[in-house]
Amino acid sequence: MIQIGIAGSSDPKPLEKAEQKAREFARELAKHDAILLTGGRGGIMRVVSEEFSKLGGTVVGILPEKAEGNEFNTIKIKTGMDFVERSAILVNSSDVFVILGGGVGTMIEALMAYNLRTPLVILTDTGYESDELEHLAKEGYFDHKKIEKVEFTNDPKEAVEIALRLAKA
Amino acid sequence: MIQIGIAGSSDPKPLEKAEQKAREFARELAKHDAILLTGGRGGIMRVVSEEFSKLGGTVVGILPEKAEGNEFNTIKIKTGMDFVERSAILVNSSDVFVILGGGVGTMIEALMAYNLRTPLVILTDTGYESDELEHLAKEGYFDHKKIEKVEFTNDPKEAVEIALRLAKA
Amino acid sequence: MIQIGIAGSSDPKPLEKAEQKAREFARELAKHDAILLTGGRGGIMRVVSEEFSKLGGTVVGILPEKAEGNEFNTIKIKTGMDFVERSAILVNSSDVFVILGGGVGTMIEALMAYNLRTPLVILTDTGYESDELEHLAKEGYFDHKKIEKVEFTNDPKEAVEIALRLAKA
Amino acid sequence: MIQIGIAGSSDPKPLEKAEQKAREFARELAKHDAILLTGGRGGIMRVVSEEFSKLGGTVVGILPEKAEGNEFNTIKIKTGMDFVERSAILVNSSDVFVILGGGVGTMIEALMAYNLRTPLVILTDTGYESDELEHLAKEGYFDHKKIEKVEFTNDPKEAVEIALRLAKA
């Protein structure tokens, strides 16, 4: 089954706009056969996991160190590694990766996906700094190596659609 | 749900006695609510995953580098790390760990479980070198720190029973 | 002794402007007591290591997988991990981190340093995409958590000066 | 230059016999051109690092998480990973690996070296559980794959001699 990874702010109280879009993304994704992978912690990650698991989906949390993570992880992977290193395992394990709005940790995961050649969809207009990635990506690429074209959309339903298409490619 | 990790030889053609015991272990485990975690590759890992998934169970393969692993992994975690490093993630993520017979990689995972304080059950009389761990463990402990008592049994059904008891502890 | 980490493009033939600045940075740094840490590979990393080791400095290469790296590594750390994961070890091990110009791998290391609270100096006007980080950092911070203020300069000598000051702080 | 890794107990007060042998090993090694790699912490690791650095040698400590380690590390690699995972980086980075006496952590590193095909020398008669590895290794091999023959000696000077020979091989 397709493994869809997401990244988003771990802020305990995420920005309302980002949270709403994340919930909509999760409900839309739950209509399809897919396994959800997240960094396993709070904020946007928790919100997406809540919606997705309430609708019967399986959530895999890739956790830093021996953290237990949020209560909606169906499966917990305890990496024993710091939060930045464990991000690479999350991205590596994803057939496609979706950015749902966040700060520096989220932006690192976006750039990792590009660098590791994992197809990448970035949801914009979330209010978070990750929105700026659209300016950083000239013609859809983060650097001169043009590793893999990044897709941007401000619509969470379209983000699901693009993600499923790219994962199947 | 309980996450039960197993270790076993990656030999493409495992020893017959070990393979039979591993299949029996998997069928017994499938009667209970548990998620199976393995190193995701061939040999004993593949055999256990086959039996367990045929009976409806979910198998998580914690893979080295970007390996795709055997065909019975329900979920694939691609660690990007070498096979020894990824073993630690497998052991860290397990609520209890069961040794089903193998060589040096399997023995490393047994010692890691003890060292990381993950409850450990070792199935003996498999024909593999991991059988020797019973001699290495004086009074059930691998060293003077007496971190966690190791359980030994030569009966795969009893191995399931002990594992479920320890995981619940 | 202070451990100064650097990041830069692994392009076999780096941009001339970036290379000249990197060489100047290395020669200036060699006047001081410091150990140089790099990702151990080619391009800007190799150029900096060459200048620094020619002047008697010790270079530690933090390598992906079992790569041997460039010929100017005094000490080789073979992480067994993919290139993105090993970047976190490089950044974690640095008392201060300096960006000398590069693409996505270099930008990831810059964001990691900020996220891991390693003091960060970014050399600009190199011709590489990492120059854009100055626009990404509003008032010197990559996100709303304002973890650690980032310093920018287009002068390699000043980059050394700032790095030594921050590392000592 | 040759990178020699060592493993030994982190017991704050190591067994006297093991400590004496470890000091003798370090003094003998310091007569040769080599860089010493350790897990960076206390006990036998600290004792060896003390002797080796007092005689002018360079010591690299491969540390778990962000630990600072003992005071005799010339260079500190902060892996951000748990102590078992960082062991693999220590072993991977060593041209040859020497066991100086220890418990389960030390035994794990011995088996990792064998599994990762790093030449391995085991100093016996230290009083620690790692002495038992001689019984585990039938005809010098830990398993049926016969990956790399392990050398045993109870003499620390001979351990240096064997290590230098194997590293050069």
Side-chain angles (χ1 to χ4, degrees):
Chain A
M1 212 184 303
I2 293 170
Q3 300 189 172
I4 296 200
I6 63 100
S9 173
S10 63
D11 285 356
K13 253 184 158 329
L15 297 178
E16 203 180 308
K17 186 159 61 168
E19 178 170 338
Q20 284 181 358
K21 287 188 168 195
R23 289 195 188 274
E24 194 176 342
F25 172 87
R27 286 191 299 262
E28 183 66 21
L29 183 63
K31 297 177 187 167
H32 304 272
D33 272 349
I35 287 164
L36 179 68
L37 276 66
T38 86
R41 299 202 295 175
I44 293 291
M45 291 177 265
R46 185 179 170 282
V47 156
V48 173
S49 300
E50 183 184 11
E51 292 291 337
F52 192 74
S53 66
K54 275 200 311 193
L55 294 166
T58 296
V59 180
V60 182
I62 314 278
L63 291 155
E65 284 122 36
K66 296 193 172 196
E68 287 295 329
N70 73 60
E71 66 270 44
F72 302 108
N73 289 313
T74 319
I75 292 164
K76 296 174 193 177
I77 305 300
K78 299 180 182 176
T79 63
M81 300 160 79
D82 75 24
F83 58 97
V84 170
E85 292 166 349
R86 81 83 157 68
S87 287
I89 297 182
L90 169 60
V91 173
N92 261 332
S93 301
S94 300
D95 295 319
V96 61
F97 202 72
V98 184
I99 301 299
L100 296 174
V104 69
T106 300
M107 290 190 284
I108 290 173
E109 291 176 355
L111 297 181
M112 280 179 172
Y114 171 82
N115 206 8
L116 291 164
R117 212 177 281 277
T118 302
L120 176 64
V121 186
I122 298 181
L123 185 67
T124 53
D125 190 25
T126 67
Y128 277 108
E129 292 83 5
S130 59
D131 291 352
E132 299 295 321
L133 292 171
E134 196 162 9
H135 304 293
L136 197 66
K138 316 289 187 210
E139 298 166 37
Y141 299 100
F142 286 129
D143 72 359
H144 58 288
K145 283 172 283 184
K146 301 201 169 189
I147 298 175
E148 185 100 14
K149 190 159 191 176
V150 184
E151 302 276 345
F152 294 91
T153 174
N154 60 13
D155 174 0
K157 286 195 179 169
E158 197 185 29
V160 170
E161 198 182 293
I162 299 171
L164 292 172
R165 175 165 48 80
L166 292 180
K168 280 168 181 161
Chain B
M1 212 184 303
I2 292 169
Q3 300 190 171
I4 296 200
I6 63 101
S9 173
S10 63
D11 284 356
K13 253 184 158 326
L15 297 178
E16 202 181 308
K17 185 161 59 169
E19 179 171 337
Q20 284 181 357
K21 287 188 168 195
R23 288 194 187 274
E24 195 175 341
F25 172 86
R27 285 191 300 262
E28 183 68 21
L29 183 62
K31 297 177 188 167
H32 303 273
D33 271 349
I35 287 164
L36 179 69
L37 276 67
T38 86
R41 299 203 295 175
I44 293 291
M45 291 177 265
R46 185 178 169 282
V47 155
V48 174
S49 301
E50 183 184 10
E51 292 290 339
F52 192 74
S53 65
K54 274 199 312 193
L55 294 166
T58 296
V59 180
V60 181
I62 314 278
L63 292 154
E65 284 124 35
K66 296 192 171 196
E68 288 295 329
N70 73 60
E71 66 271 44
F72 302 108
N73 290 312
T74 319
I75 291 165
K76 296 175 193 177
I77 305 300
K78 299 180 182 177
T79 63
M81 300 160 78
D82 75 24
F83 58 97
V84 170
E85 292 166 348
R86 81 81 157 70
S87 287
I89 297 182
L90 169 61
V91 173
N92 261 332
S93 302
S94 300
D95 295 319
V96 61
F97 202 72
V98 183
I99 300 300
L100 297 173
V104 70
T106 299
M107 291 190 284
I108 290 173
E109 291 176 355
L111 297 182
M112 280 180 173
Y114 171 81
N115 206 8
L116 291 164
R117 212 175 282 276
T118 302
L120 176 63
V121 185
I122 298 182
L123 185 67
T124 53
D125 189 26
T126 67
Y128 276 109
E129 291 84 4
S130 59
D131 291 352
E132 299 295 322
L133 292 171
E134 196 162 8
H135 303 293
L136 198 66
K138 315 290 186 210
E139 297 165 39
Y141 299 98
F142 286 129
D143 72 1
H144 58 289
K145 283 172 284 185
K146 301 200 169 189
I147 298 175
E148 184 100 14
K149 190 159 191 178
V150 184
E151 302 277 343
F152 294 90
T153 174
N154 61 11
D155 174 1
K157 285 195 180 171
E158 197 184 30
V160 170
E161 198 181 291
I162 300 171
L164 292 173
R165 174 166 48 80
L166 292 180
K168 279 168 183 162
Chain C
M1 213 185 301
I2 293 169
Q3 300 191 171
I4 295 199
I6 63 100
S9 172
S10 63
D11 285 356
K13 252 184 158 327
L15 297 178
E16 202 180 309
K17 187 160 60 170
E19 178 171 337
Q20 284 181 356
K21 286 188 169 195
R23 289 194 187 274
E24 195 177 340
F25 172 87
R27 285 191 300 261
E28 182 67 22
L29 183 62
K31 296 176 188 168
H32 303 272
D33 271 349
I35 287 163
L36 179 69
L37 276 66
T38 86
R41 297 204 296 178
I44 293 291
M45 291 177 266
R46 185 179 170 284
V47 155
V48 173
S49 301
E50 183 185 10
E51 292 290 338
F52 192 75
S53 66
K54 274 199 313 192
L55 294 166
T58 296
V59 181
V60 182
I62 314 279
L63 292 154
E65 285 123 35
K66 296 193 172 194
E68 288 294 330
N70 73 61
E71 66 269 44
F72 302 109
N73 289 313
T74 319
I75 292 164
K76 296 176 192 177
I77 305 300
K78 299 180 182 177
T79 63
M81 301 161 79
D82 74 23
F83 58 97
V84 170
E85 292 166 349
R86 80 84 157 69
S87 287
I89 297 182
L90 169 60
V91 173
N92 261 332
S93 302
S94 300
D95 296 318
V96 60
F97 202 71
V98 183
I99 301 300
L100 296 174
V104 69
T106 298
M107 289 190 285
I108 289 173
E109 292 177 355
L111 296 182
M112 281 179 173
Y114 171 82
N115 206 7
L116 290 165
R117 212 176 282 276
T118 302
L120 176 62
V121 186
I122 299 182
L123 184 67
T124 53
D125 190 25
T126 67
Y128 276 108
E129 292 84 5
S130 59
D131 292 351
E132 298 295 320
L133 292 170
E134 195 162 8
H135 304 292
L136 198 66
K138 315 289 186 209
E139 298 166 37
Y141 299 99
F142 286 128
D143 72 0
H144 58 289
K145 282 172 285 184
K146 300 201 170 188
I147 298 176
E148 184 101 13
K149 190 158 191 177
V150 184
E151 302 276 345
F152 294 91
T153 174
N154 62 10
D155 174 1
K157 285 194 178 171
E158 198 184 29
V160 170
E161 198 182 292
I162 299 171
L164 292 173
R165 174 167 46 82
L166 292 180
K168 281 170 180 160
Chain D
M1 212 186 301
I2 293 169
Q3 300 190 172
I4 296 200
I6 63 100
S9 173
S10 62
D11 285 356
K13 252 184 158 329
L15 297 178
E16 201 179 310
K17 185 159 61 169
E19 179 171 335
Q20 284 181 357
K21 286 187 169 197
R23 289 194 186 274
E24 194 176 342
F25 172 86
R27 285 191 299 262
E28 182 67 21
L29 183 62
K31 296 177 188 167
H32 303 271
D33 272 349
I35 287 163
L36 179 69
L37 276 66
T38 87
R41 298 204 295 177
I44 293 292
M45 290 176 266
R46 186 178 169 282
V47 155
V48 173
S49 301
E50 183 185 9
E51 292 290 338
F52 192 74
S53 65
K54 274 199 312 191
L55 293 166
T58 296
V59 180
V60 182
I62 313 278
L63 292 154
E65 285 122 37
K66 295 194 172 194
E68 287 295 328
N70 73 59
E71 66 270 43
F72 302 109
N73 290 312
T74 319
I75 291 164
K76 296 175 192 177
I77 304 300
K78 299 180 182 177
T79 64
M81 302 160 78
D82 74 24
F83 58 97
V84 170
E85 292 165 349
R86 79 80 156 73
S87 287
I89 297 182
L90 169 61
V91 173
N92 261 331
S93 303
S94 300
D95 295 319
V96 61
F97 202 71
V98 183
I99 301 299
L100 297 174
V104 70
T106 299
M107 289 190 285
I108 290 172
E109 292 177 355
L111 297 182
M112 281 179 173
Y114 171 82
N115 206 7
L116 290 164
R117 212 176 282 277
T118 302
L120 176 63
V121 185
I122 298 182
L123 185 67
T124 53
D125 189 25
T126 68
Y128 276 107
E129 292 84 5
S130 60
D131 291 352
E132 298 296 320
L133 293 170
E134 195 162 10
H135 304 292
L136 198 65
K138 315 290 187 211
E139 297 166 36
Y141 299 99
F142 286 127
D143 73 0
H144 58 290
K145 283 172 286 185
K146 301 201 169 186
I147 298 175
E148 184 100 14
K149 190 158 192 176
V150 183
E151 302 276 345
F152 294 90
T153 174
N154 62 12
D155 174 1
K157 286 194 179 171
E158 197 184 30
V160 171
E161 198 181 292
I162 299 171
L164 292 173
R165 174 166 48 80
L166 293 180
K168 281 169 180 160

